Amino acid sequence: NNNTHYPSRVHVGVLLPLTGDLAAVSSSIREGLMAAHFSSTLRHEWSISFFDTKKYTLDEIYSKGTKLGIHNWIGPLEKSKVKEFANIINSSDNLLALNELPTNATKQSLSLSLSPEEEATQAANFSRIQGYEKALIIEGTHPWSKRQAETFASQFSSHGGTVVEHVVLQPKQYSKNIQEALQIDLSSQRYKQVQKLTRTPIKFISQPRPDID
């Protein structure tokens, strides 16, 4: 049942694509919310209902929700539906969107963006705030990794940082790629060269490249 309701003082409506391509991601979010609900000491003071954005239109969901007395919303997850839902709800409703909100969203609306680009932007900003100036980007093999890496590089550089190197991981060569990116392989080569000059065993601790923070 995607509309699970437990009597309480505050009723929260959650909009997720519980079926379709994003069903697995949505299931994880749903399980996390339910775990938080049942572990909360205030669980008897709030309830939660889930609405499938693949099965119902946003207007249908909002209509059902308001009949249940819902004025607090989490979602949608899909970026294309966040703006639409933000324009549907009453201006006094509270909304925690799971993707980027439009710039004209109400003061009662907040976003917890799950987009790779937003995460990369936050990581770049945080790195610069912490005083890091030189970055090594290691790009994964997922389709969104390229966008994430490009966003980080752009944001980091625009705030005065320098991307020393950008490495793209190759399938089944992750370890080799990372060692080369950190120049640990060069450290190992230096150790072998020094060890050849003496019969005394040398304790070796690999050292990554010194030009990144």
Side-chain angles (χ1 to χ4, degrees):
N1 183 0
N2 291 335
N3 296 319
T4 306
H5 178 218
Y6 303 91
S8 62
R9 298 178 188 175
V10 177
H11 196 170
V12 179
V14 183
L15 294 79
L16 293 169
L18 296 169
T19 54
D21 295 340
L22 295 174
V25 175
S26 298
S27 178
S28 296
I29 295 173
R30 179 178 180 175
E31 289 175 7
L33 288 170
M34 293 306 296
H37 172 75
F38 286 117
S39 64
S40 172
T41 56
L42 302 175
R43 60 184 175 277
H44 299 300
E45 298 184 13
W46 63 287
S47 63
I48 187 167
S49 291
F50 294 89
F51 300 92
D52 189 348
T53 54
K54 283 291 187 180
K55 280 188 176 181
Y56 306 101
T57 68
L58 297 180
D59 283 313
E60 290 174 333
I61 291 173
Y62 189 66
S63 177
K64 289 182 178 182
T66 52
K67 290 177 182 178
L68 292 173
I70 297 177
H71 299 288
N72 302 280
W73 301 91
I74 298 176
L77 177 61
E78 308 97 309
K79 187 174 183 179
S80 61
K81 294 187 177 181
V82 169
K83 181 178 181 180
E84 182 183 350
F85 192 67
N87 291 328
I88 290 174
I89 64 172
N90 191 293
S91 60
S92 62
D93 284 4
N94 298 306
L95 172 65
L96 176 60
L98 297 179
N99 215 312
E100 189 176 353
L101 276 166
T103 55
N104 62 342
T106 66
K107 292 182 179 180
Q108 285 76 28
S109 299
L110 298 172
S111 66
L112 179 64
S113 178
L114 302 179
S115 71
E117 291 88 349
E118 184 63 25
E119 289 183 0
T121 297
Q122 292 178 7
N125 291 340
F126 181 78
S127 297
R128 291 297 295 125
I129 290 172
Q130 294 298 307
Y132 298 128
E133 298 179 350
K134 299 177 181 179
L136 165 67
I137 295 177
I138 299 178
E139 179 184 324
T141 56
H142 296 285
W144 43 260
S145 293
K146 181 177 177 60
R147 304 197 312 271
Q148 194 172 39
E150 290 175 346
T151 300
F152 179 91
S154 175
Q155 189 73 7
F156 192 73
S157 300
S158 69
H159 284 75
T162 300
V163 176
V164 176
E165 189 173 350
H166 181 171
V167 177
V168 180
L169 296 179
Q170 301 301 315
K172 299 181 180 181
Q173 297 185 50
Y174 292 172
S175 179
K176 178 176 180 291
N177 295 156
I178 293 174
Q179 286 188 31
E180 290 177 349
L182 295 174
Q183 295 183 357
I184 291 176
D185 57 329
L186 297 181
S187 177
S188 179
Q189 289 175 18
R190 288 194 294 270
Y191 156 71
K192 291 177 181 178
Q193 290 172 353
V194 173
Q195 184 62 76
K196 287 180 180 179
L197 301 176
T198 178
R199 294 181 179 180
T200 304
I202 298 175
K203 184 178 180 181
F204 171 65
I205 300 176
S206 60
Q207 296 292 326
R209 59 195 299 171
D211 61 340
I212 57 175
D213 295 327

